[in-house]
Amino acid sequence: MSGTGGIVVIGAGLGGLAAAMRLAGAGRDVTVVEALDVPGGCCGTASLDGYRFDTGPSVLTMPEVLADAFAAAGEDMESRLPLRRLDPYYRMRYHDGTHLDVVPGEDAMIEQVRALCGAAEADRYRRFRVRLGELFAAEWPVFIDRDMTRLRHLVRPLVLARLAALGGFRRLDGLVRAHLTDDRLVRAHTFQALYVGLSPQRALGIYAVIAHMDTVGGVFFPRHGGMHAIPRAMAAAAEKAGARIRYGTRALKVEAGPYGVSAVRLDTGERLPARHVVVACDLPGAHDGLLPKAAGDWRLRRPRHSPSCVVLHVGLDRRLDGQAHHTLHFGREWRSTFSALAAGRPQPDPSLLVTYPAADTAAPAGHATLTVLEPAPNLHGGADWDRLAPELEDRLLARMADLGYGDLAGRPRLRFDPPAWARLGHSAGTPFALDHRFSQTAWFRPAGAARRVPGLHFAGMHTAPGVGVPPVLISGRLAAERILESPR
């Protein structure tokens, strides 16, 4: 690296890699330092007894955002990371024995609703689908696809008025119930509130765009290698464009002087000179020693973290005929489950997300993998996780048996719970970062750049746009754009 320094990206997760791809593609001198031996960060991988599991997100929407990152590095995504559209996107199974397949195509989806809920609700759904599209079109360019942590990007009054007229500042549950009357259909379009760490009764209506992304835009999956194929392909593209990625190397300190960042000290004893640094790891944790004190952000004085989850990854000795890739098993209870999470207690009757990547080669021949996720309180809830974690695991195994998945207790399995997430570096023991209440949304979310430390930038879930694969990718792009625009 040159004596004046280049760009150092801390963390080879999706946000850090998205920034590195764009910067290397623009000809900049980029070094990525990653504490783990593989890329991915939250989009990780684990193996057990011949089975391989994706330990991070299982839902990929808006693939054009990912394709844009590859294009910035001079790559065609389809040639390096071919994707397939899932069909159905989700299978919703309800406690009364009914189910709804969320499928591609407007007419096909309306027929699914008609078969389950009747002709009148299908007509209401058709109109609601239009409203989702209008909200997405109004919101995407101003709230999601730009750096809303910068004052000059604050939304203009006319845009706010348009979003208000569409119901964006109502509560999500109220917005959806104003259009749909069948509770099963309401749940199918409000469970996404948990993605942003809130109940449907507390989340703003603007987050209905998440339902648009995955029920209208569609859910995708890599044809080979599971979700972890995404960061592997991104890392390869970044390196081909000229970035250097140093695995098994931990950043210890970002150094700064009177004119901004100057270097990054590593656990190897090296000091990498830097004109710009992109911090793409857990942000509250980074403020505990990695960052200079001048980088403090008032938005992080009282951070409110999302709930966490308990996840079981199970190696099956059989295939599951007819099983959808994503199945949501809704419990009988609804509002009380969210109230329990908010109070720091396990849900009394949780809804479960089961992921079954049947087309992936992550298991021995004739075998398969299965992942089940249950929302759970984070470590700030005060629970005794030494006692609670095995209790929830036993309950989860019993619930899966009741749902028809058989006895999984004797199968190879891995458990991730809030203490495990904390050991992996996630503040409060949650892999979902800060929640998206109004006071942690847009300009109120931690800034994408340190105002008092020129050259210090942030990417990932904790800054804007927020949680989820497309927002994290966008956060990396926004960090790269700030650097490319900077005279520093």
Side-chain angles (χ1 to χ4, degrees):
M1 184 172 289
S2 65
T4 56
I7 301 165
V8 177
V9 178
I10 300 175
L14 300 185
L17 290 172
M21 291 167 75
R22 194 168 295 269
L23 291 166
R28 297 301 178 94
D29 183 6
V30 182
T31 299
V32 182
V33 293
E34 168 56 52
L36 300 177
D37 294 328
V38 295
C42 294
C43 195
T45 184
S47 298
L48 178 68
D49 294 349
Y51 297 90
R52 191 198 65 78
F53 305 102
D54 289 320
T55 59
S58 65
V59 177
L60 173 62
T61 60
M62 304 294 292
E64 57 270 28
V65 176
L66 185 56
D68 182 64
F70 280 94
E75 293 267 337
D76 172 57
M77 183 181 73
E78 184 60 27
S79 62
R80 188 178 283 275
L81 182 70
L83 305 176
R84 62 184 178 90
R85 184 192 293 265
L86 300 181
D87 187 3
Y89 303 145
Y90 294 96
R91 178 164 292 154
M92 313 282 189
R93 291 199 174 276
Y94 301 97
H95 64 85
D96 62 1
T98 60
H99 80 274
L100 173 70
D101 279 358
V102 181
V103 298
E106 180 177 1
D107 291 341
M109 186 60 210
I110 289 171
E111 285 306 310
Q112 289 283 330
V113 174
R114 189 187 312 277
L116 178 67
C117 308
E121 189 75 346
D123 288 341
R124 285 189 283 269
Y125 170 73
R126 185 190 300 273
R127 293 191 292 271
F128 176 66
R129 191 176 171 108
V130 172
R131 177 57 57 90
L132 285 180
E134 292 172 337
L135 267 170
F136 180 81
E139 190 175 336
W140 178 265
V142 294
F143 268 110
I144 302 174
D145 201 36
R146 67 193 307 181
D147 188 355
M148 284 300 297
T149 68
R150 304 170 85 173
L151 277 173
R152 64 187 177 92
H153 285 167
L154 286 181
V155 180
R156 296 171 181 166
L158 287 179
V159 176
L160 293 175
R162 172 63 173 162
L163 288 170
L166 292 170
F169 300 115
R170 300 182 61 176
R171 298 301 175 184
L172 177 62
D173 184 75
L175 169 65
V176 176
R177 290 184 185 277
H179 293 84
L180 304 173
T181 61
D182 191 297
D183 190 64
R184 295 168 296 182
L185 206 56
V186 171
R187 292 190 186 194
H189 291 87
T190 58
F191 80 89
Q192 296 89 349
L194 270 179
Y195 293 169
V196 297
L198 299 170
S199 72
Q201 292 75 38
R202 291 196 62 195
L204 291 175
I206 56 175
Y207 292 113
V209 297
I210 305 175
H212 180 276
M213 288 179 188
D214 60 11
T215 68
V216 177
V219 181
F220 297 78
F221 194 72
R223 291 190 178 275
H224 310 288
M227 290 292 285
H228 190 62
I230 297 173
R232 290 203 311 271
M234 294 176 70
E239 288 182 303
K240 184 178 177 181
R244 294 174 296 280
I245 304 182
R246 298 184 55 177
Y247 297 109
T249 304
R250 183 177 298 275
L252 296 180
K253 187 71 177 180
V254 176
E255 296 182 351
Y259 302 107
V261 297
S262 57
V264 176
R265 284 196 288 110
L266 308 178
D267 62 355
T268 61
E270 297 169 84
R271 181 179 181 275
L272 298 182
R275 291 182 178 180
H276 293 274
V277 174
V278 179
V279 176
C281 55
D282 183 86
L283 190 51
H287 279 284
D288 187 20
L290 174 65
L291 301 178
K293 289 185 178 180
D297 190 330
W298 59 269
R299 301 166 182 87
L300 280 170
R301 288 174 185 167
R302 297 183 63 192
R304 300 292 190 270
H305 287 84
S306 292
S308 185
C309 58
V310 173
V311 178
L312 294 184
H313 299 285
V314 184
L316 303 179
D317 59 359
R318 66 196 188 281
R319 311 282 290 180
L320 302 180
D321 293 337
Q323 178 76 19
H325 188 106
H326 289 126
T327 302
L328 267 160
H329 293 277
F330 287 102
R332 183 180 299 274
E333 298 296 326
W334 189 239
R335 286 178 179 263
S336 64
T337 63
F338 298 109
S339 300
L341 276 186
R345 302 190 306 271
Q347 294 184 307
D349 184 19
S351 297
L352 308 178
L353 173 63
V354 174
T355 301
Y356 175 71
D360 195 16
T361 56
H367 295 220
T369 63
L370 181 144
T371 296
V372 55
L373 180 152
E374 173 184 329
N378 62 42
L379 292 181
H380 289 169
D384 177 6
W385 280 99
D386 288 338
R387 174 190 60 81
L388 185 59
E391 289 181 1
L392 290 182
E393 181 174 1
D394 289 343
R395 186 181 76 166
L396 195 50
L397 291 170
R399 174 82 181 278
M400 292 295 285
D402 291 342
L403 291 170
Y405 290 93
D407 183 7
L408 304 179
R411 298 304 308 157
R413 66 183 185 273
L414 297 172
R415 183 183 78 209
F416 289 80
D417 50 34
W421 297 123
R423 288 192 294 272
L424 290 172
H426 297 289
S427 296
T430 173
F432 304 116
L434 307 178
D435 69 33
H436 283 255
R437 66 187 66 200
F438 177 76
S439 60
Q440 293 185 153
T441 295
W443 188 69
F444 297 110
R445 204 155 182 86
R451 183 174 61 86
R452 292 184 294 167
V453 186
L456 181 57
H457 309 265
F458 305 103
M461 295 183 290
H462 287 87
T463 187
V467 176
V469 174
V472 166
L473 293 170
I474 290 170
S475 76
R477 191 202 81 212
L478 295 174
E481 288 177 349
R482 284 191 299 270
I483 292 172
L484 295 174
E485 294 169 0
S486 171
R488 179 174 166 77

